[in-house]
Amino acid sequence: MAPPWPLFPSRGATGYRQRCRPLRTDLARILRDGILAPGTQIEADHAGRRHTATVDADGVITLPSGDRFTSADEAGKTVCGTRRCTGMASWHVTTGDGDWLSLREVRNQAQQQGRLGGSRRR
């Protein structure tokens, strides 16, 4: 069952701001297309501990320590203390229905529904 979209308010309602050189990550696309709102709290569980972070309008992840990451993988590696982390699978959001979806699931569902514009360029 697909969650109701949007999970969070659209970017137009949140004062979305553009960077000079926007990030080209999947997370930045999710925010740019209004799938998640800037300021969304994301969570990751690792070794019995829950870690939190906030995502800004540009797709930058900020940890409670103030450390900022342009990659979900790098933020995940830092909080988990590991050499590898698949950030899009590790970080989750809680939907309005109380479901816990990984960022990967949010991205995939938005793509299936045609809500995620333009493919990511490397």
Side-chain angles (χ1 to χ4, degrees):
M1 179 175 108
W5 294 101
L7 295 174
F8 302 95
S10 70
R11 68 178 184 233
T14 60
Y16 181 82
R17 64 181 173 84
Q18 292 275 334
R19 288 169 40 120
C20 293
R21 297 180 70 203
L23 292 175
R24 293 183 180 177
T25 64
D26 285 338
L27 183 55
R29 288 175 51 220
I30 289 169
L31 283 138
R32 181 194 68 217
D33 291 345
I35 308 304
L36 294 178
T40 295
Q41 182 172 316
I42 58 176
E43 301 173 308
D45 281 341
H46 178 74
R49 293 188 58 207
R50 181 159 290 184
H51 305 278
T52 62
T54 305
V55 183
D56 73 12
D58 299 317
V60 175
I61 297 171
T62 305
L63 301 179
S65 65
D67 293 328
R68 295 170 50 86
F69 298 90
T70 57
S71 161
D73 294 351
E74 292 298 320
K77 289 188 318 189
T78 298
V79 299
C80 295
T82 57
R83 293 186 345 187
R84 290 186 182 166
C85 177
T86 306
M88 293 296 286
S90 298
W91 291 105
H92 294 74
V93 295
T94 304
T95 68
D97 296 336
D99 292 333
W100 211 47
L101 295 177
S102 70
L103 293 177
R104 177 183 288 167
E105 292 170 315
V106 170
R107 179 200 61 205
N108 291 347
Q109 289 180 11
Q111 284 176 328
Q112 289 172 355
Q113 295 173 358
R115 298 197 64 231
L116 197 57
S119 64
R120 186 176 126 188
R121 292 179 281 179
R122 289 194 180 240

